[in-house]
Amino acid sequence: MRRRLLLALPSLLAAPALAQPRPPIRILVGFAPGGTADQVARIAGEAIQRRGGPNIVVEIRSGALGFIALQAVARSAPDGTTLGIGIMGQLAVAPVVPGSQIPLDLDRELAPIAALATTPMALVVRPDAPFRSVAELVAHAKARPAGALTYGSTGNGSTNQLGAEGFAAAADLKLTHVAYRGGTLALLDLAAGRIDLFFANIAEVAEMVRGGQVRALALAADAPIAMFPDLPLLTADYPSLAMGNWLGLVGPAGLPEAQQAELAGLFLAALADPVTTPVLASRGLSALGEAGPAFAARIRRDRDRWAQVAKAGNIRAD
């Protein structure tokens, strides 16, 4: 027995070490459970695990417009085990809106790993509105004193406000802004007829549209989506108003580039999986599939775009 062990010892020593199990990846989400950011993180995580990848743990760290989560990501060890979901409002809008309170240097402290998914914004109006199309809305507004129509937002400098101001500029309208502390409050007032319109992620208002609490007039996109295939496109009359809110994966700035590329491949392949695509579509989402440099370029383009809207509308953050 001892002789057999001695004979086998050289081959045992030469054999590769057993692969160590990969540690789980935490994804920090700075917004409420069940919101778009949380949904994207969980859909990606489930797809990665279904495909045999590492365990994904989604952790809610809400507060400060989602920046608490991003700050925690920036302060984490750059080993690929702590990542975060960054949205357009944080990475592209806040940096170009005067008065924005950002508790970290987004460009120096975070690494843009991949643009994961996007959901178009929709123009929704109160259920008893006398206009049933964008053209009727514009005509209705122009027949009344400037600013008679009101729109809600989740606060000064929010994507909801920028979307509405972009529409007002394109249609040559003057609208009155009503800021709320959250989209739920704005939508409740819209449903009650206290404000006239709201620009929202279609993924977040789908159930209210289906239930008749609010009415969707148009999708701010270049193409229809499976969730509402018959919803008119705002871009048919205003080509510049394709306004999709995107969500991306970020890590701490010290994360090695090779590891960033590996993580981007892991997440993008999971979201492009044929099993995942209809899950995204059912939530009003579609995969973007942009790794590091392309994601960084998207951020720069959108900063330029929203900086112009903020300047034209004299918009400042709360």
Side-chain angles (χ1 to χ4, degrees), residues 88-89 92-100 151 155-170 174 177 241 243 301-318:
M88 184 179 76
V93 174
V96 299
V97 174
S100 295
Y151 72 88
N156 290 320
S158 64
T159 53
N160 315 106
Q161 184 190 17
L162 290 170
E165 288 294 335
F167 167 64
K174 173 64 177 175
H177 178 214
L241 295 184
M243 298 184 290
R301 287 196 308 272
D302 275 358
R303 285 184 185 178
D304 290 343
R305 176 187 186 181
W306 295 117
Q308 294 175 31
V309 174
K311 183 177 180 180
N314 195 27
I315 295 170
R316 290 187 58 85
D318 287 321

Side-chain angles (χ1 to χ4, degrees), residues 119-287:
T119 180
M121 298 183 83
L123 169 56
V124 292
V125 301
R126 56 189 173 93
D128 62 343
F131 35 82
R132 305 192 70 86
S133 69
V134 174
E136 289 180 5
L137 184 159
V138 172
H140 180 86
K142 289 185 174 181
R144 280 152 183 77
L149 262 65
T150 57
Y151 72 88
S153 83
T154 55
N156 290 320
S158 64
T159 53
N160 315 106
Q161 184 190 17
L162 290 170
E165 288 294 335
F167 167 64
D172 192 25
L173 301 178
K174 173 64 177 175
L175 304 173
T176 296
H177 178 214
V178 182
Y180 292 84
R181 291 187 175 275
T184 300
L185 295 175
L187 286 166
L188 286 173
D189 267 9
L190 183 69
R194 299 187 186 99
I195 56 174
D196 295 300
L197 58 99
F198 185 72
F199 271 81
N201 291 347
I202 190 64
E204 294 177 350
V205 294
E207 292 308 311
M208 292 187 74
V209 172
R210 291 190 181 113
Q213 291 111 309
V214 298
R215 189 191 308 155
L217 285 193
L219 192 69
D222 289 321
I225 59 172
M227 179 182 276
F228 294 104
D230 299 324
L231 189 59
L233 299 178
L234 190 58
T235 52
D237 295 311
Y238 306 101
S240 66
L241 295 184
M243 298 184 290
N245 272 310
W246 46 256
L247 306 96
L249 189 71
V250 298
L255 189 63
E257 289 186 6
Q259 202 165 0
Q260 292 182 42
E262 179 189 358
L263 287 164
L266 180 72
F267 277 80
L268 296 183
L271 290 178
D273 188 294
V275 177
T276 311
T277 300
V279 177
L280 290 170
S282 71
R283 315 286 179 89
L285 295 156
S286 58

Side-chain angles (χ1 to χ4, degrees), residues 112-118 246-249 264 268 271 287-292 294-296 298:
I113 295 173
L116 300 178
T118 184
W246 46 256
L247 306 96
L249 189 71
L268 296 183
L271 290 178
L288 278 173
E290 297 173 353
F295 182 26
R298 171 181 289 273

Side-chain angles (χ1 to χ4, degrees), residues 60-148:
I60 302 293
R61 294 275 191 96
S62 59
L65 301 176
F67 284 116
I68 287 176
L70 294 188
Q71 196 170 41
V73 172
R75 292 174 177 174
S76 68
D79 57 8
T81 61
T82 301
L83 307 173
I85 297 293
I87 67 169
M88 184 179 76
Q90 295 169 301
L91 302 181
V93 174
V96 299
V97 174
S100 295
Q101 299 296 312
I102 306 175
L104 73 161
D105 189 320
L106 296 169
D107 298 325
R108 292 180 180 271
E109 297 184 60
L110 293 177
I113 295 173
L116 300 178
T118 184
T119 180
M121 298 183 83
L123 169 56
V124 292
V125 301
R126 56 189 173 93
D128 62 343
F131 35 82
R132 305 192 70 86
S133 69
V134 174
E136 289 180 5
L137 184 159
V138 172
H140 180 86
K142 289 185 174 181
R144 280 152 183 77

